[in-house]
Amino acid sequence: MSRILQKKVCLLGAFAVGKTSLVSRFVNGIFSDKYLSTMGVKIDRKSLQLDDVTVNMMLWDVHGEESVKKVPAAYMRGSAAYLLVIDGTRSATVDTARELHARMRAEVGDVPFVVLLNKVDLKDEWELSDADVATIREEGWECLMTSACTGENVEAAFIRLADQMIA
Amino acid sequence: MSDQQVKNSDGDDSCKQNGDFNHLKELLLGEESRQIAVLEEHLENPELHAADMGRVLHKAVQINQQQEPGALADALAPAVESSLYASVRKDPDSLGDALFPVMAPAIRKSIISIMHGMVQSLNHMLENSFSFQGLKWRLESMHTGKSFAEIVMLHTLAYRVEQVFLIHKADGLLLQHVSFMEEDTQNADLVSSMLTAIQDFVRDSFQVEANDSIEKLSMGNMVVHIEAGSKIVLAAVVRGNAPAEFTETLQQRCELIHKQMAGALEAFDGDASVFNAVRPDMESCLLSQTASTPTGSNLKAKLMLSALALALVGWSVWGWYQADREQKLIRALDALPGFVVIRSGDEQGALLIAGLRDPLADKPDKLLHQYGFSNDDVRLIWTPYQSLERAMQIRRARAVLKPAAKTRLNIDQSKLIVSGVAQSSWLERARALQPALPGISEIRSDQLVLSDSPEYLLQEAIKQLQPPTTVRLSISGETLIAKGKAPDAWLKKAAIVMNIVPGIKVYDGSAMINMEADDYLLAESVRLLNPPSSARLHVYQGILAASGKASQQWVERTASAAALVPGIKAYDDSKLVNTQSDVYLLSESIRLLKPPSSVRLTVDQGILIATGKASSRWVKKASRALHIVDGINGYDYSNLVNTRSNAYLLSQANRLLKPPSSVRLSVRRGRLAAKGVASTRWINNARKRVKRIAGIRSFDTNELIDVGSNAYLLAKIKRELQPPATVTLKLNKRELIISGIATTAWAQRIGKLILHIDGVDTVWQQDLVVIEKALATLKRMLLNADLRFVANTSQLMDGETSKIQRLAKQLMKQADLMRITQAHVQITGYSGLLGEQAEVLALSRAEMVKRELMKHGLTSKRVKTSGQKTQNEGWAARLDLVWRALP
């Protein structure tokens, strides 16, 4: 018997790593290179059909983490899974992701998450070396190289997260 | 007693038996018995029993809850209720303290909600109190007996709960959603999440307490009521004004759902299907209330009544207008002279007017039309009478007296005042007829002018004849006498005055002067124009003619003034000579100056202009023209050629000699001079021709260069060779002699040029000194001349002095060359001595040579000395020539 599940999924990461672009690519299939900073939170829905389960992902596109404007715990609360987004062209975003990961753990416990190394289309400009990526993977983080611009691995990342949620 | 005994005996026996039994029991069940006793003790002793129960009670409750959920709660409820009741009665504070953390927020929330409801209704009441709507509702309140506030609420509480969301509080996921319209459900999950996000956002942004949350979002007339429980949030979207009770309803539903779905909420994993169970509860929140609107059922009746009222108003206005028109007509008729309205009324739909009318009065038809009545609308009944109104009296007097048009009648009380003009016969007749006029007691005629009186006749004559100011009229009996002067036309008109003015029988114009007669006009012209004695005036048939001579000023003034003399028709000045006219002045100039035939004279605006050729003598005379000819203001002789003037002579010379462009001629005081270059032939011709020019006394050819002459050729060669100032060129019979000092460069340049000079056969340049060459020769000579001295002295050896003399002679030959090139002789003395004396000796030797050279004419400027010591003996002074480099 088919089931419909609703899940709150948070997108977390430093500012301008491409969270909103990833959601836009995943939900609407479009990409704009115009940068619009997200204020507060923007919510979108995407339904995924996995076998006999329909997962309605409520995507909480939270504003980027900044030193002066932290992501409030209230947005994290109740998340069934989350995506940590890292901008490959800025290595500092890895540290931000680590901090957010720690706070998320404290708030919602051990829930599934996937790490997105975004902007793979700009690989030439990457600050992250393969060694850095390997280090991140060694921490047990599941990493996917994504690009909201080309759409590479975007759908795969969300499907992977949904799989983990219903497992 | 026996029973006792029996019992006792039995007792003894049984005691014995019991003792055994007990012993047996003791033996068999001793341990168990003690345990039973202990158990008994625990069961019987309440303290021990309570302690036992206490140890297991919580477990027992747990088991009970699992096996029979709610049974224990049901059982406990009465006891708990009564114990709480008892506790409150005993000491309300302790329970109050315990419940305070729970109750306080709940109470606060409730109070806020109630207050908000009150404010809301108060607002509505105030808003509607003073409007038309408000008044209507006030009436309704009086009519129905309900309170005003109640009525206001009834009308204003129109609202509809459109959607209700049940939201999982922790993650904002939608648990259930009910809606008025099906299409709203599509994005309900997004709305649900967003509502939660907004809650979080606001809470995060504004530093509120942990349990506080948004209770209401309002946009325009739409309000979202949000009721937050511990696990769920119930949000209702309401359009319009929901009553205050609605919040309570929402609260109750929230609590109910909490209670019902506690388990499901606990186990919620994202599957919301279990919450379908609470749909009915939520749907019961979809309340709505419509505000009643007035119906249009009595519209027809209203329309009819309005039409009726309108007709009634129209009819009364028309009636009033008609009556007003009739009254106005009657008043106007009554006010008309010769009319008296006695009664009026309605007769068979027509207006009846009856009264008195003077037969002399105007007909009333015009007035009827003026007020919009036709003759059919009005019936008029008039009885004739004689009116004594002023207007009617005048009318009657006119009818009886029949005055002339110029005679005016007026009434002043009972007097008839006659004014204007009338004949005395008419006045007499009027006085006779006066008694026949009713209401007239007398006739007054002080303002009447009798048409047969002398004053009237004179006045009429003046009026009709319009005499000019130069004429004076008077009346004597029936005769009009005119004196003064007047134009012919007026005189003719005055002669027939008898026909124009009745009453005048004779005209006497014997004393009149005709202003158009010729002798009168002549006298006037002379008086006004004042001609000079040289001019004469004549008048014939009004035409003025002038003859003789007169100044231009008088001629011009008269030409315009003559026409202004009264009576003069035309002016003829053809026979008048203007002594300032150009024609007159020209003839006078020719007569007095007697110009030669080669001179032509003209006069333009008083300026004498002479053209042509004249001798200086005549020109001199002509320049005094201002004194000789009267009326000449100036002269212009610029075009007059003086046959002795330089310019004239020069032009003649140019014309006759025709000099080539290389020759320029000039004339001064009869001397002709030629400058420039010309052929020998032209020069010879010119010398002959110049004698034919009258006024040229001599011909100067000193500055004229003959192309065939040596000088011309030399000048040409100089131009070509451009020799420096130090070089002299001479030409001697086709032989060019070049002498002086020149540089090698120049000498080389001319070397080629001189081979091809026209007019030169040979070139002699032996006397040309070429600077570099000459100086080099001198230098060589000096360098070869080593001078010797006596050892260790500055005394020259024998024979050396004469050597120096020869050298000096050679140098002096080229003194100019040395000056031009600023050359000097450098003398260096030498000595073979050791020590300091060596240089001194060397220098004194050089000075010795210098002195010798200067003896023979060289200046000290051209000699420089220096001393040097050397080991090398053999000579003691050396000479050299040094010059500045040539450009």
Side-chain angles (χ1 to χ4, degrees):
Chain A
M1 184 193 148
S2 75
R3 286 213 307 158
I4 301 171
L5 290 181
Q6 287 185 82
K7 296 287 180 187
K8 173 175 174 177
V9 175
C10 263
L11 272 96
L12 300 170
F15 69 94
V17 293
K19 297 181 290 300
T20 306
S21 295
L22 283 164
V23 171
S24 174
R25 166 61 78 185
F26 177 56
V27 176
N28 305 315
I30 53 171
F31 175 78
S32 161
D33 56 3
K34 203 190 276 178
Y35 175 61
L36 292 168
S37 180
T38 306
M39 296 295 292
V41 63
K42 186 174 157 294
I43 295 168
D44 275 294
R45 175 194 53 214
K46 177 81 178 180
S47 293
L48 289 175
Q49 186 70 41
L50 300 169
D51 300 330
D52 62 343
V53 180
T54 306
V55 181
N56 274 338
M57 297 174 99
M58 304 308 297
L59 301 168
W60 284 50
D61 172 16
V62 182
H63 67 77
E65 171 92 353
E66 289 175 62
S67 56
V68 291
K69 194 168 182 350
K70 302 266 182 202
V71 174
Y75 292 159
M76 299 176 169
R77 206 166 295 146
S79 298
Y82 58 97
L83 286 164
L84 279 175
V85 186
I86 290 168
D87 181 353
T89 65
R90 289 184 292 150
S91 56
T93 59
V94 177
D95 299 333
T96 313
R98 281 206 180 92
E99 195 200 323
L100 283 164
H101 175 67
R103 294 224 310 269
M104 200 69 188
R105 277 285 130 113
E107 195 61 46
V108 297
D110 189 10
V111 299
F113 72 101
V114 172
V115 179
L116 303 185
L117 299 170
N118 198 28
K119 306 196 187 176
V120 76
D121 55 302
L122 303 173
K123 190 79 197 206
D124 299 344
E125 299 169 27
W126 268 39
E127 280 181 12
L128 283 185
S129 61
D130 291 346
D132 292 334
V133 176
T135 313
I136 295 169
R137 285 206 165 109
E138 273 166 25
E139 288 174 41
W141 286 13
E142 180 172 1
C143 292
L144 280 171
M145 301 271 191
T146 59
S147 166
C149 180
T150 62
E152 183 181 337
N153 268 342
V154 175
E155 185 119 17
F158 282 93
I159 290 172
R160 176 79 195 108
L161 201 65
D163 269 336
Q164 290 189 28
M165 275 193 287
I166 61 166
Chain B
M1 227 12 228
S2 59
D3 286 350
Q4 188 79 41
Q5 235 173 341
V6 167
K7 273 184 184 174
N8 285 341
S9 64
D10 286 349
D12 288 347
D13 195 37
S14 61
C15 275
K16 199 177 174 242
Q17 281 175 349
N18 271 349
D20 294 338
F21 183 62
N22 286 339
H23 187 71
L24 183 64
K25 252 186 6 186
E26 178 67 35
L27 286 173
L28 287 172
L29 304 163
E31 189 57 26
E32 283 80 4
S33 295
R34 272 189 299 277
Q35 282 177 349
I36 289 167
V38 170
L39 280 173
E40 241 171 0
E41 175 77 32
H42 273 264
L43 285 172
E44 294 300 321
N45 189 331
E47 299 228 334
L48 287 174
H49 192 54
D52 290 342
M53 286 284 278
R55 271 197 297 276
V56 297
L57 188 57
H58 60 284
K59 279 241 173 104
V61 170
Q62 271 178 350
I63 293 163
N64 177 271
Q65 194 65 23
Q66 282 166 0
Q67 290 171 348
E68 276 183 81
L72 187 63
D74 287 345
L76 281 174
V80 171
E81 274 167 17
S82 58
S83 62
L84 280 172
Y85 184 68
S87 164
V88 170
R89 280 188 62 168
K90 202 172 85 190
D91 180 10
D93 284 351
S94 57
L95 194 63
D97 288 347
L99 282 176
F100 181 75
V102 184
M103 296 296 283
I107 291 166
R108 194 167 60 223
K109 217 179 216 180
S110 172
I111 288 171
I112 289 169
S113 164
I114 289 163
M115 285 301 284
H116 187 76
M118 271 171 69
V119 168
Q120 195 183 39
S121 19
L122 198 65
N123 277 346
H124 281 295
M125 231 161 82
L126 286 173
E127 265 172 31
N128 294 302
S129 286
F130 302 107
S131 61
F132 175 71
Q133 190 87 344
L135 282 172
K136 216 172 82 182
W137 289 345
R138 224 168 254 288
L139 277 173
E140 193 181 333
S141 143
M142 280 157 69
H143 180 69
T144 54
K146 288 180 185 170
S147 77
F148 177 60
E150 226 175 322
I151 295 293
V152 170
M153 299 289 260
L154 205 67
H155 284 284
T156 53
L157 277 183
Y159 74 97
R160 187 168 75 179
V161 180
E162 294 190 335
Q163 302 181 59
V164 179
F165 295 83
L166 181 64
I167 302 165
H168 193 253
K169 195 176 180 180
D171 49 20
L173 296 176
L174 183 70
L175 299 176
Q176 198 52 248
H177 174 244
V178 290
S179 169
F180 223 77
M181 286 166 287
E182 204 54 41
E183 56 265 34
D184 286 338
T185 52
Q186 279 187 349
N187 288 319
D189 50 354
L190 276 178
V191 174
S192 152
S193 287
M194 209 62 220
L195 269 175
T196 311
I198 291 167
Q199 285 273 20
D200 293 343
F201 178 73
V202 171
R203 202 176 290 140
D204 180 49
S205 304
F206 300 115
Q207 310 281 312
V208 292
E209 284 186 27
N211 287 327
D212 288 344
S213 61
I214 297 175
E215 281 154 14
K216 201 179 271 185
L217 294 172
S218 70
M219 283 143 286
N221 70 338
M222 208 206 73
V223 183
V224 182
H225 291 264
I226 302 168
E227 186 57 44
S230 62
K231 292 249 170 59
I232 56 160
V233 175
L234 203 57
V237 179
V238 180
R239 200 171 290 280
N241 296 309
E245 295 87 43
F246 178 70
T247 319
E248 284 169 31
T249 312
L250 216 57
Q251 262 172 28
Q252 286 165 4
R253 289 288 180 282
C254 184
E255 283 162 21
L256 189 76
I257 292 167
H258 251 285
K259 213 185 269 178
Q260 272 187 14
M261 305 306 290
L265 283 169
E266 199 63 53
F268 180 66
D269 65 341
D271 186 354
S273 55
V274 287
F275 290 92
N276 285 338
V278 294
R279 265 188 90 87
D281 281 329
M282 287 168 70
E283 272 161 359
S284 69
C285 289
L286 292 177
L287 300 166
S288 71
Q289 186 163 348
T290 327
S292 57
T293 49
T295 56
S297 59
N298 53 357
L299 187 69
K300 274 185 190 166
K302 277 181 183 171
L303 277 175
M304 232 150 85
L305 275 173
S306 306
L308 221 75
L310 213 68
L312 198 68
V313 168
W315 181 72
S316 1
V317 166
W318 173 249
W320 171 82
Y321 167 71
Q322 200 66 8
D324 183 58
R325 204 158 61 105
E326 287 176 6
Q327 281 306 313
K328 276 184 177 160
L329 174 69
I330 290 163
R331 274 203 297 277
L333 262 178
D334 203 25
L336 218 59
F339 284 89
V340 178
V341 175
I342 295 169
R343 68 189 166 87
S344 63
D346 185 55
E347 194 191 71
Q348 292 169 355
L351 174 65
L352 174 77
I353 301 173
L356 306 174
R357 177 175 176 266
D358 192 309
L360 289 175
D362 295 331
K363 288 200 166 177
D365 299 10
K366 204 176 145 197
L367 203 68
L368 291 184
H369 289 303
Q370 191 185 331
Y371 283 91
F373 289 92
S374 71
N375 290 341
D376 298 339
D377 297 337
V378 187
R379 202 166 147 245
L380 300 166
I381 302 169
W382 300 118
T383 310
Y385 86 114
Q386 269 200 352
S387 167
L388 287 185
E389 281 172 90
R390 204 166 141 269
M392 297 313 295
Q393 271 188 307
I394 292 170
R395 204 172 279 188
R396 192 165 298 113
R398 277 194 181 284
V400 173
L401 304 180
K402 295 186 175 65
K406 287 179 181 175
T407 314
R408 287 192 298 278
L409 299 183
N410 212 337
I411 301 275
D412 183 12
Q413 288 172 349
S414 64
K415 292 169 198 157
L416 181 68
I417 296 164
V418 187
S419 59
V421 182
Q423 284 193 324
S424 43
S425 57
W426 178 85
L427 186 63
E428 275 166 32
R429 199 170 64 88
R431 284 191 202 284
L433 283 172
Q434 179 255 316
L437 295 169
I440 303 289
S441 57
E442 62 168 304
I443 291 180
R444 288 188 58 175
S445 61
D446 357 345
Q447 292 166 32
L448 183 69
V449 176
L450 289 174
S451 59
D452 29 17
S453 68
E455 294 83 14
Y456 179 76
L457 286 175
L458 182 63
Q459 197 185 329
E460 276 299 292
I462 290 169
K463 205 165 113 191
Q464 294 299 334
L465 297 179
Q466 303 271 342
T469 50
T470 52
V471 174
R472 204 156 44 73
L473 296 179
S474 59
I475 292 276
S476 169
E478 292 179 332
T479 307
L480 178 70
I481 302 161
K483 280 178 185 167
K485 49 192 180 181
D488 197 40
W490 191 85
L491 290 175
K492 280 178 183 149
K493 189 173 155 195
I496 53 162
V497 68
M498 301 78 81
N499 302 342
I500 303 168
V501 184
I504 294 179
K505 298 280 188 304
V506 183
Y507 166 69
D508 178 4
S510 56
M512 285 302 295
I513 296 167
N514 185 347
M515 286 171 79
E516 281 163 48
D518 288 342
D519 44 356
Y520 173 78
L521 291 174
L522 180 61
E524 279 295 287
S525 298
V526 169
R527 187 175 66 81
L528 292 169
L529 301 176
N530 195 16
S533 57
S534 60
R536 260 203 329 282
L537 297 179
H538 313 273
V539 175
Y540 178 69
Q541 293 188 343
I543 295 168
L544 177 65
S547 58
K549 291 187 222 169
S551 71
Q552 185 176 4
Q553 194 195 359
W554 189 85
V555 171
E556 278 172 6
R557 187 168 58 79
T558 309
S560 54
L564 298 176
V565 177
I568 293 295
K569 291 174 197 150
Y571 172 59
D572 171 18
D573 60 356
S574 58
K575 287 177 188 158
L576 188 66
V577 175
N578 178 353
T579 54
Q580 276 159 306
S581 75
D582 293 339
V583 179
Y584 177 77
L585 290 173
L586 181 61
S587 69
E588 283 293 286
S589 299
I590 291 170
R591 189 169 64 81
L592 294 168
L593 298 177
K594 294 190 181 66
S597 59
S598 61
V599 172
R600 207 172 73 80
L601 291 183
T602 50
V603 176
D604 184 16
Q605 295 181 345
I607 308 286
L608 179 64
I609 302 162
T611 53
K613 293 185 266 185
S615 66
S616 312
R617 207 174 126 212
W618 186 85
V619 172
K620 208 170 176 185
K621 181 184 171 189
S623 62
R624 290 174 53 243
L626 293 185
H627 305 288
I628 298 167
V629 187
D630 263 355
I632 289 291
N633 300 325
Y635 56 84
D636 174 10
Y637 298 157
S638 56
N639 289 328
L640 188 63
V641 178
N642 184 342
T643 49
R644 292 288 180 276
S645 74
N646 292 337
Y648 178 75
L649 291 174
L650 180 64
S651 71
Q652 286 293 94
N654 274 328
R655 193 166 59 79
L656 267 170
L657 305 185
K658 291 192 184 67
S661 58
S662 57
V663 172
R664 210 167 63 75
L665 298 178
S666 60
V667 176
R668 207 186 144 120
R669 292 184 181 175
R671 278 171 65 89
L672 178 65
K675 235 186 225 179
V677 183
S679 66
T680 318
R681 195 173 147 217
W682 181 83
I683 295 170
N684 292 338
N685 273 341
R687 284 203 177 107
K688 280 178 207 159
R689 282 183 187 173
V690 80
K691 287 170 188 157
R692 286 179 8 215
I693 304 168
I696 298 283
R697 288 196 297 276
S698 66
F699 184 33
D700 176 6
T701 56
N702 292 346
E703 288 184 70
L704 194 63
I705 298 166
D706 189 343
V707 174
S709 68
N710 281 345
Y712 178 75
L713 194 59
L714 194 62
K716 204 172 120 192
I717 292 166
K718 275 184 181 168
R719 253 202 325 279
E720 218 166 303
L721 302 184
Q722 293 179 345
T726 51
V727 170
T728 316
L729 298 181
K730 274 180 194 163
L731 198 62
N732 188 18
K733 288 177 184 166
R734 303 182 78 82
E735 184 187 45
L736 179 66
I737 301 160
I738 304 171
S739 60
I741 303 166
T743 58
T744 318
W746 185 79
Q748 278 171 358
R749 193 167 68 79
I750 64 159
K752 287 172 194 163
L753 288 174
I754 51 178
L755 300 177
H756 309 289
I757 296 174
D758 287 340
V760 173
D761 294 338
T762 54
V763 179
W764 176 261
Q765 47 179 335
Q766 300 307 108
D767 295 336
L768 180 70
V769 176
V770 178
I771 296 170
E772 289 87 344
K773 222 193 265 169
L775 290 175
T777 313
L778 282 179
K779 186 178 176 109
R780 211 162 36 243
M781 185 184 79
L782 290 174
L783 284 173
N784 288 336
D786 291 341
L787 299 175
R788 292 169 191 285
F789 286 82
V790 178
N792 297 332
T793 67
S794 57
Q795 198 183 334
L796 283 159
M797 282 190 171
D798 292 342
E800 299 293 19
T801 318
S802 57
K803 207 168 166 184
I804 293 169
Q805 189 184 345
R806 275 202 308 281
L807 286 172
K809 208 172 169 187
Q810 289 296 319
L811 285 168
M812 284 309 290
K813 265 188 192 169
Q814 301 294 354
D816 282 351
L817 187 64
M818 285 182 71
R819 184 172 46 75
I820 289 163
T821 57
Q822 298 195 348
H824 65 267
V825 180
Q826 179 70 46
I827 308 168
T828 315
Y830 297 91
S831 80
L833 286 181
L834 296 171
E836 289 176 5
Q837 286 301 309
E839 277 179 27
V840 177
L841 178 66
L843 191 61
S844 71
R845 280 177 174 173
E847 286 294 330
M848 182 66 199
V849 179
K850 185 180 178 179
R851 273 197 298 277
E852 281 301 315
L853 282 173
M854 283 168 71
K855 269 183 200 167
H856 297 103
L858 265 78
T859 54
S860 69
K861 219 160 77 181
R862 299 272 160 244
V863 187
K864 286 185 181 167
T865 55
S866 64
Q868 246 179 33
K869 72 170 183 181
T870 174
Q871 304 286 341
N872 210 352
E873 208 38 55
W875 40 263
R878 182 170 270 184
L879 302 175
D880 191 6
L881 188 72
V882 178
W883 65 87
R884 217 174 54 169
L886 290 168

